[in-house]
Amino acid sequence: MNLEFNQNEDLNKLAVAELRSRLKKVYAGGGGNAAEKQKAKGKLLARERIAYLLDDNKPWLEIGALAADGMYAEHGGCPSAGVVAGIGYVADRQCVVVANDATVKAGAWFPMTAKKNLRAQEIAMENRLPIIYLVDSAGVFLPLQDEIFPDKEHFGRIFRNNARMSSEGIVQIAAIMGACVAGGAYLPIMSDEAMIVEGTGSVFLAGSYLVKSAIGESVDNETLGGATTHCEISGVTDYKQPDDKACLDSIRNIMGMLGKPSDAGFDRIKAAPPKLDEHEIYGILPSSREKPYDTREIIRRLVDDSAFEEYKALYGQSIVCGLGRVEGWAVGFVANQRKVVKTKKGEMQFGGVIYSDAADKAARFIMNCNQKKIPLVFLQDVTGFMVGSRAEHGGIIKDGAKLVNAVANSVVPKITIIMGNSYGAGNYAMCGKAYDPRLIVAWPSAKIAVMGGAQAAKTLLQIQTASMKAKGAEIDGSTEEALLKTITERYDEQTTPYYAAARLWVDGVIDPLDTRKVIAMGIEAANHAPIEKRFNVGIIQT
C-alpha cells in the first residue's frame, strides 16, 4: 500500500466532490420559484432547451459554468452569469450554443454576461463553428449599465461580432424564445436566420411602457413585437413556431442541411483509451502544491495507449515535451516537470521552474509542431523562471523571451490545462489566457497568481506595515501576525481556480478525468478552421 498515493487520491477526490457541489448550485440558476414562473408560461428552462436541442449520446463541453460565481452579491447574485454556453453537437455538427437563463434576473445582462457571450463568440470565430443563440432576456441590467454599455469589450461588441461572423460565412441561427429588448434585439436579427416562439417570444427596441413614456402611444407588447407582428407584418423574423420544442426542432432541421465544412487537416486515427488507469491521476497529483511528482506519469494517463514520444528527454528536463494522441488526435505536449532533476553538468534543477535549457527546448519543440501542423497542449504547473546571478548570466531573459515568442506566434491551435501552480511569467510562457489558447481550463488543484501565496503575503505585509509606521502607528508582533493572516487569506482566495473561473480567466474548472474530452473536443473544433497565417516568429534573441 502506498500511503502517500492514497492520501493524494482522497484529497483530490474531495476536491472534485466540491467542484460538483458548486456546479450543482450553479445549474439551479435563479432557483425553484423562478423556474416555476418560467414553466407556467409554457417555456422550457435554458438547460432544458439545450438538452432538447443537442444530439443524444454526444459530449457537451460547457464554457463558463462558474462565471460570476460569488460576484454581484449586492444584487442577489448572477449564477453562471445568467447565460448557459458551450460546445456541443446538433444534427451531427459541432457548434456553439448560447442560451439566456430567464430564471436569473429575467435573463438581464450583467457585465460578466457580456464577457461570457463574447467568449462564446470568440470560440465560434476562432474555430469557424456555427453558433446558435436561444434568446430570452430583459436586456441590460440597468443598475450596472456603466460597466456593460460603452467600452470596446462591452455589449455593443456582441453585434459587431454578429456582423463579422456573417461576413466570414460563420453560420448564426437565433431563436427568440422570450423577451428580446432594446439593444439586445439586434443580436437575433443580425444572425443569419431568426425564429420566434408564438405567445412567449417578443422583440422590440422599446417595450410598451417606454413607448408610452416616449411618444404617448398605448400598445401591448404582443402587438408591438410579438410573433405575428414580426412574421406577418414587419418581416423581421423568418420563422414562427408554436412552442419551444417546435422551435428547437426547426433549428435541428436547418443544422442538418449545412454544407460540409473545410478542415485544417489535423491528423486523427482511431481512438484508444490509455493503457494506464486515468483514475490514478488522483493519487499521483500531490496533496500540496509544493510537493514533487513526475509529470510524465500524468501524461501517460492522458494519451491513447499511454504512448508518449518524448522530445529531447535528457535535455532541458524542467519542461517535458513530446508527441502523443488524445482520442486519436495527434498532439504536441509542453508540460512543466515537477520533480527535481539533475543535468549532465551536475546542476540540480527545481521542479516547476523554467530554466534556460528548458525554455530553449520548448521553443524549438513548439516551432517543430507548427512546422508539422500538430496542435499543442500545455500542461501548467509552473512557479516561474529561474532567478539569481547564475540564471541571469546564463541569459534566462533571452531564453524566456524566445519561448514566449514561439507561444505568441504559434499558428496551430493551443489548449491549456492548469493542473497546479500558474505563477507569474510562467503563466505567460506556458500559454496563459493572454496567449490565445482555444480553450483554457483548470483542475481543482490549480493556483493562479503573480507569485506564490507565502511570498506574496510577506511582501504585501512589508508594504502595509511600512505604510502604517509612516503614519505613526505602532506595530507589535500580534498586530503583524493578524495582518499577515488577513492578507494571506485574502490572497489565497484570489488564487483559487474558482476565483479565476468566476472572472472567465479560465473557461472552467474540470475533473481531471474530463481532460481528454476537453482536448479532443477542442482540437475537433479547431479542425473546422484551416490555418491561413504563415508561422513566423520574427526576431528571436539567440
Side-chain angles (χ1 to χ4, degrees):
M1 178 182 289
N2 186 326
L3 183 60
E4 185 175 1
F5 183 97
N6 291 343
Q7 288 174 337
N8 293 341
E9 186 177 46
D10 289 345
L11 185 138
N12 285 309
K13 285 184 175 179
L14 282 172
V16 169
E18 182 193 352
L19 168 62
R20 289 174 182 157
S21 176
R22 285 174 177 258
L23 289 173
K24 186 178 179 180
K25 291 178 182 176
V26 162
Y27 294 160
N33 290 338
E36 287 305 314
K37 288 179 182 178
Q38 294 300 313
K39 287 180 174 291
K41 299 175 184 177
K43 296 160 68 174
L44 296 174
L45 304 180
R47 292 182 183 279
E48 291 174 341
R49 288 168 174 167
I50 291 175
Y52 185 87
L53 176 66
L54 295 176
D55 295 349
D56 294 331
N57 303 315
K58 291 281 186 73
W60 162 249
L61 179 59
E62 187 161 350
I63 302 297
L66 292 161
D69 187 43
M71 299 172 68
Y72 310 121
E74 68 277 22
H75 299 291
C78 187
S80 216
V83 64
V84 184
I87 303 172
Y89 300 81
V90 176
D92 289 324
R93 284 294 297 266
Q94 194 180 42
C95 58
V96 175
V97 181
V98 181
N100 297 110
D101 185 351
T103 70
V104 180
K105 299 292 189 297
W109 288 57
F110 283 68
M112 285 304 301
T113 315
K115 187 172 183 178
K116 184 170 174 179
N117 274 269
L118 286 168
R119 176 59 179 144
Q121 288 186 322
E122 180 181 39
I123 290 170
M125 293 169 78
E126 284 183 331
N127 299 295
R128 298 191 62 80
L129 290 178
I131 183 167
I132 298 166
Y133 307 100
L134 307 180
V135 186
D136 192 347
S137 171
V140 167
F141 186 66
L142 287 178
L144 296 174
Q145 65 84 28
D146 62 315
E147 297 179 40
I148 188 175
F149 173 67
D151 209 349
K152 181 179 179 181
E153 298 296 328
H154 283 178
F155 197 41
R157 190 77 169 183
I158 302 284
F159 319 131
R160 173 265 191 193
N161 288 348
N162 288 141
R164 291 291 293 271
M165 280 190 277
S166 185
S167 74
E168 293 172 15
I170 299 169
V171 172
Q172 300 174 86
I173 301 172
I176 301 164
M177 309 182 82
C180 188
V181 183
Y186 285 106
L187 186 150
I189 308 311
M190 291 191 71
S191 298
D192 301 326
E193 293 178 290
M195 51 194 66
I196 186 167
V197 177
E198 192 170 12
T200 55
S202 59
V203 55
F204 34 66
L205 294 182
S208 57
Y209 293 125
L210 184 53
V211 167
K212 177 68 173 176
S213 173
I215 64 173
E217 181 185 3
S218 295
V219 60
D220 64 88
N221 283 340
E222 184 64 24
T223 303
L224 187 64
T228 298
T229 294
H230 286 312
C231 284
E232 301 181 32
I233 300 173
S234 72
V236 166
T237 51
D238 306 309
Y239 306 88
K240 181 167 72 169
Q241 304 296 350
D243 55 37
D244 280 10
K245 287 186 176 180
C247 184
L248 297 168
D249 287 337
S250 181
I251 293 173
R252 288 186 59 82
N253 288 337
I254 294 169
M255 287 293 293
M257 298 182 191
L258 298 188
K260 185 180 179 181
S262 302
D263 66 62
F266 302 130
D267 187 65
R268 190 181 197 185
I269 62 173
K270 185 177 179 181
K275 286 183 177 177
L276 298 175
D277 187 357
E278 292 177 77
H279 292 81
E280 291 175 349
I281 290 173
Y282 294 141
I284 295 167
L285 193 69
S287 57
S288 167
R289 296 279 51 79
E290 285 71 46
K291 289 184 178 180
Y293 63 93
D294 190 344
T295 303
R296 295 184 186 91
E297 295 304 316
I298 300 287
I299 295 173
R300 292 188 183 110
R301 286 159 178 82
L302 295 177
V303 294
D304 293 6
D305 285 324
S306 298
F308 181 57
E309 186 74 27
E310 189 168 354
Y311 174 78
K312 288 183 182 287
L314 301 177
Y315 177 78
Q317 297 176 74
S318 70
I319 294 182
V320 175
C321 299
L323 302 174
R325 290 187 181 272
V326 176
E327 297 291 349
W329 292 103
V331 172
F333 284 91
V334 181
N336 300 109
Q337 176 58 281
R338 280 311 312 257
K339 70 176 186 178
V340 177
V341 297
K342 187 177 183 180
T343 71
K344 193 68 175 178
K345 297 177 181 178
E347 178 188 8
M348 302 301 291
Q349 295 184 341
F350 298 109
V353 178
I354 301 175
Y355 290 78
S356 280
D357 53 356
D360 186 72
K361 176 179 84 172
R364 185 178 175 89
F365 177 74
I366 290 166
M367 289 188 275
N368 272 332
C369 285
N370 275 271
Q371 181 92 325
K372 298 179 176 73
K373 206 158 73 171
I374 298 174
L376 289 161
V377 172
F378 292 82
L379 301 178
Q380 285 196 11
D381 196 346
V382 58
T383 53
F385 285 86
M386 190 56 189
V387 297
S389 60
R390 183 173 181 175
E392 298 293 357
H393 295 172
I396 186 65
I397 295 175
K398 68 177 175 62
D399 291 321
K402 189 186 305 181
L403 175 54
V404 169
N405 194 318
V407 172
N409 286 299
S410 181
V411 295
V412 295
K414 300 166 289 192
I415 295 170
T416 300
I417 315 293
I418 305 176
M419 306 187 303
N421 300 321
S422 180
Y423 293 157
N427 169 284
Y428 303 155
M430 293 295 293
C431 196
K433 184 65 182 282
Y435 290 80
D436 301 315
R438 298 293 177 95
L439 291 171
I440 178 169
V441 296
W443 289 359
S445 47
K447 292 280 186 183
I448 305 164
V450 71
M451 65 177 74
Q455 304 96 307
K458 288 176 182 176
T459 303
L460 290 167
L461 176 66
Q462 290 172 4
I463 294 169
Q464 192 162 334
T465 54
S467 175
M468 292 171 70
K469 287 176 180 177
K471 294 175 182 176
E474 292 290 330
I475 307 294
D476 58 21
S478 60
T479 303
E480 192 169 290
E481 187 176 328
L483 275 173
L484 180 61
K485 183 175 183 294
T486 300
I487 291 168
T488 301
E489 288 175 352
R490 185 173 66 245
Y491 192 87
D492 286 346
E493 179 190 351
Q494 293 172 351
T495 65
T496 69
Y498 298 107
Y499 191 90
R503 289 150 184 82
L504 283 175
W505 301 342
V506 296
D507 293 317
V509 183
I510 66 164
D511 182 339
L513 299 186
D514 287 332
T515 304
R516 280 170 54 83
K517 180 180 86 168
V518 171
I519 294 170
M521 288 187 71
I523 297 174
E524 183 181 351
N527 199 43
H528 286 78
I531 297 172
E532 297 175 347
K533 184 179 179 182
R534 185 174 67 88
F535 178 58
N536 178 16
V537 294
I539 296 172
I540 285 185
Q541 289 275 10
T542 57

